[in-house]
Amino acid sequence: MHLSTKGLWEYPSQIGFKIPDVGEPQYYKDSECRILDGRVIAKNLVAQCHRLKEHHPLVIPKLVAILVGDHAPSKIYVGRKMKAFEEAGFASEVIEIPEKNVSLKGLNETIEKLNQDPLVHGILVQLPLPDFLDTHEVIHKIHPSKDVDGFLDGYLAQLALGRFPPIIPCTALGVGILLQCYGISMPSQHVVVIGRSRHVGRPCAWMALNQDATLTLAHSKTQDLPNLLKTADVIISATGNPWFIQPEFLKSGAVGIDVGISQDTDKKIKGDFHPDCQKKLRGLSPVPGGVGPLTVAMLCVNTAILAWK
Ligand code: GUN
């Protein structure tokens, strides 16, 4: 049976976004494991943004990203977001605030100005923030109508209570669409999400549950994860623990969605799944090139929803 993503894709479809076609299956070398390529979907969605501008000629979607401090990976991620917006033909701006200059009051004033600016449709505070700032307090200064990340209590609560809100956090939306594009259905499947963060693990878990998966949400205190994973049909892993999922943990024919990305002590960029997992799985998203580009593309989609709905 094929999954309907009516709920998940309801708001993007209302403004004209189509679910991309991923073409002929591609496999990892010497294996029957399909490459769940996120780049091809992301590229298609960014191109759709460009095309859809013709249908909404009066409003150019605009994102403002606030980047506080000197966190090197955050600078790279924000740079990727800006590049995607340029490719989409959307407007974007980065407000960089050095850590020594930042105060809660100043940050609140910056956000309030953006809340009032009719030309700004989405506001993003890049996380993590420096430790002395309360993330929950800061992001809740963003007006809900400009919550492009879907990180505020309102949208998350809707997702947790079984609905698909207008804005779904980019990673969860990206994972859901990745599974849809590659024909991996969720109803009745045992989906194990590893990681319970507010912004990634939980929204992915709720997204799967809302699509009738049988859900297990595992985390750092879960006991005997290898035995649990043996029963999983789909594993969505977001730990940032390089190559910690080994092939012997897996059921043959399961699907792996790798949301982890980390630089190991050998300086290599690695996901959560060891490459040998390809011998057991029927599909695996690569790192890099899987969920990461989709997260960026979904930010364009979410900004378009806020601007055009
Ligand atoms: N830091 C890492 N990923 C994200 C994201 O999707 N949104 C924000 N605001 N910060 C992040």
Side-chain angles (χ1 to χ4, degrees):
M1 189 176 64
H2 223 260
L3 164 73
S4 156
T5 43
K6 188 167 177 292
L8 185 68
W9 203 242
E10 196 167 321
Y11 286 88
S13 70
Q14 280 178 15
I15 53 169
F17 282 100
K18 303 269 186 289
I19 296 214
D21 178 4
V22 291
E24 289 300 305
Q26 308 287 323
Y27 296 90
Y28 289 95
K29 195 162 178 284
D30 300 327
S31 86
E32 290 171 16
C33 180
R34 196 163 173 192
I35 302 172
L36 308 181
D37 183 352
R39 282 192 182 125
V40 63
I41 305 170
K43 208 168 157 212
N44 177 301
L45 288 171
V46 170
Q48 287 192 52
C49 287
H50 215 289
R51 231 174 299 126
L52 286 171
K53 281 175 66 183
E54 282 172 27
H55 300 273
H56 308 272
L58 299 179
V59 183
I60 296 177
K62 178 170 180 179
L63 171 79
V64 177
I66 300 174
L67 182 57
V68 180
D70 223 20
H71 188 247
S74 289
K75 286 192 172 180
I76 294 171
Y77 295 142
V78 169
R80 285 188 189 145
K81 290 169 184 175
M82 297 301 120
K83 186 163 174 276
F85 271 68
E86 203 180 312
E87 285 165 10
F90 290 0
S92 65
E93 185 187 331
V94 184
I95 298 178
E96 284 197 59
I97 309 178
E99 194 166 329
K100 61 177 169 34
N101 293 353
V102 76
S103 68
L104 184 59
K105 186 166 170 282
L107 200 47
N108 288 347
E109 282 168 9
T110 302
I111 294 172
E112 190 45 36
K113 245 189 236 156
L114 298 171
N115 282 340
Q116 301 294 339
D117 185 341
L119 296 180
V120 174
H121 305 97
I123 304 169
L124 174 153
V125 176
Q126 184 66 23
L127 303 177
L129 285 171
D131 284 345
F132 64 91
L133 290 166
D134 179 332
T135 300
H136 191 266
E137 189 180 350
V138 170
I139 64 173
H140 280 80
K141 291 289 183 282
I142 298 172
H143 192 276
S145 64
K146 300 194 178 188
D147 174 21
V148 73
D149 268 322
F151 285 174
L152 302 191
D153 288 353
Y155 288 142
L156 283 182
Q158 287 184 46
L159 194 63
L161 291 173
R163 279 191 286 159
F164 285 112
I167 301 296
I168 296 169
C170 299
T171 306
L173 184 57
V175 168
I177 290 307
L178 184 71
L179 290 167
Q180 160 74 10
C181 286
Y182 286 97
I184 296 151
S185 70
M186 296 265 245
S188 316
Q189 299 293 290
H190 183 202
V191 175
V192 176
V193 177
I194 314 173
R196 58 176 157 175
S197 70
R198 176 188 169 95
H199 303 134
V200 178
R202 283 172 206 246
C204 285
W206 295 327
M207 180 275 299
L209 186 61
N210 292 356
Q211 296 195 316
D212 297 326
T214 299
L215 173 71
T216 302
L217 179 50
H219 49 78
S220 54
K221 300 285 188 294
T222 298
Q223 294 199 338
D224 201 0
L225 190 62
N227 247 335
L228 176 67
L229 293 183
K230 273 248 151 43
T231 67
D233 300 304
V234 177
I235 299 166
I236 302 170
S237 184
T239 73
N241 198 348
W243 289 3
F244 99 100
I245 300 180
Q246 302 287 320
E248 58 271 24
F249 301 172
L250 305 171
K251 177 163 88 174
S252 285
V255 170
I257 303 296
D258 201 336
V259 190
I261 182 159
S262 48
Q263 194 174 35
D264 208 349
T265 44
D266 59 9
K267 300 273 179 235
K268 287 197 176 125
I269 297 294
K270 294 179 182 172
D272 286 0
F273 286 79
H274 190 282
D276 284 349
C277 293
Q278 292 159 19
K279 294 177 188 148
K280 277 287 204 45
L281 297 170
R282 76 180 159 102
L284 174 65
S285 64
V287 174
V291 175
L294 276 176
T295 302
V296 174
M298 292 311 174
L299 192 63
C300 298
V301 171
N302 277 353
T303 308
I305 292 170
L306 293 178
W308 292 336
K309 266 304 284 172

